[in-house]
């Protein structure tokens, strides 16, 4: 039996795309396999690791827990779009400077989760940074440097400068 499909129009990184998608296809698989946006990763595929983090209507979501069909009519931003727009530039520079990535598998999800913190909790203390990232696993266990990098960006913003 062929799997049922539904029509979905999703604005991905500013461009509207319309496709018929398998009713049970997850958003992360749609982005990676249908659109070739492979910057967001799949890890656990059941909502635990955060590797698939993307933004939908300005909120971070697990791409493996949302169906592509549920994104119909919504705005989705991926690591590719957020990198190209320059929105993540400060965090990317800080991650680089602090050596906050090793294999890089977790990094796209970490950056999107970190940017969410930077936007919503600009005065977050170190423990709050840790708490905010608690749903993003780094299998290389680079947590210290990741938190250092985010702390740098928050501190630089509080000082009113662009650079950490
Ligand atoms: S792949 Fe989605 S949370 Fe792990
Ligand atoms: S840098 Fe390897 S998983 Fe985080």
């Amino acid at each position: 039996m062929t799997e049922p499909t539904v029509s979905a129009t999703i604005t991905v990184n500013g461009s509207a795309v319309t496709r018929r998608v398998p009713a049970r296809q997850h958003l992360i698989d749609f982005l990676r396999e249908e659109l070739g946006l492979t910057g967001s990763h799949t890890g656990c595929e059941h909502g635990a690791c955060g590797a698939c983090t993307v933004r939908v209507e300005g909120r971070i979501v697990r791409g493996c827990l949302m169906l592509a069909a549920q994104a119909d009519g919504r705005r989705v931003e991926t690591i590719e779009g957020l990198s190209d727009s320059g929105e993540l530039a400060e965090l990317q520079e800080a991650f680089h400077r602090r050596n906050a990535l090793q294999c890089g598998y977790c990094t796209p999800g970490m950056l999107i989760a970190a940017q969410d913190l930077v936007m919503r909790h600009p005065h977050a203390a170190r423990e709050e940074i840790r708490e905010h990232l608690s749903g993003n696993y780094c299998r290389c266990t680079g947590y210290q440097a990741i938190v250092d990098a985010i702390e740098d960006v928050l501190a630089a913003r509080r000082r009113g400068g662009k650079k950490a």
Side-chain angles (χ1 to χ4, degrees), residues 145-160:
I146 290 168
V147 175
D148 288 344
I150 297 167
E151 214 172 28
D152 279 359
V153 170
L154 291 175
R157 288 196 158 211
R158 285 198 288 267
R159 288 195 303 270

Side-chain angles (χ1 to χ4, degrees), residues 61-129:
V61 304
R62 305 278 203 239
C64 72
L65 292 184
M66 183 171 186
L67 298 173
Q70 290 176 300
D72 181 33
R74 297 189 174 168
R75 185 167 43 93
V76 175
E77 293 163 285
T78 70
I79 188 69
E80 289 88 350
L82 295 172
S83 295
D84 288 349
S85 73
E87 182 178 334
L88 299 178
E90 285 172 84
L91 280 166
Q92 287 169 319
E93 192 274 331
F95 269 53
H96 186 258
R97 185 164 34 78
R98 287 284 195 170
N99 293 319
L101 63 155
Q102 293 172 63
C103 78
Y105 201 84
C106 70
T107 309
M110 282 289 181
L111 286 168
I112 294 178
Q115 177 65 2
D116 187 67
L117 177 85
V118 168
M119 289 190 306
R120 296 182 197 285
H121 304 288
H123 298 285
R126 197 168 176 88
E127 275 316 302
E128 293 167 295
I129 299 172

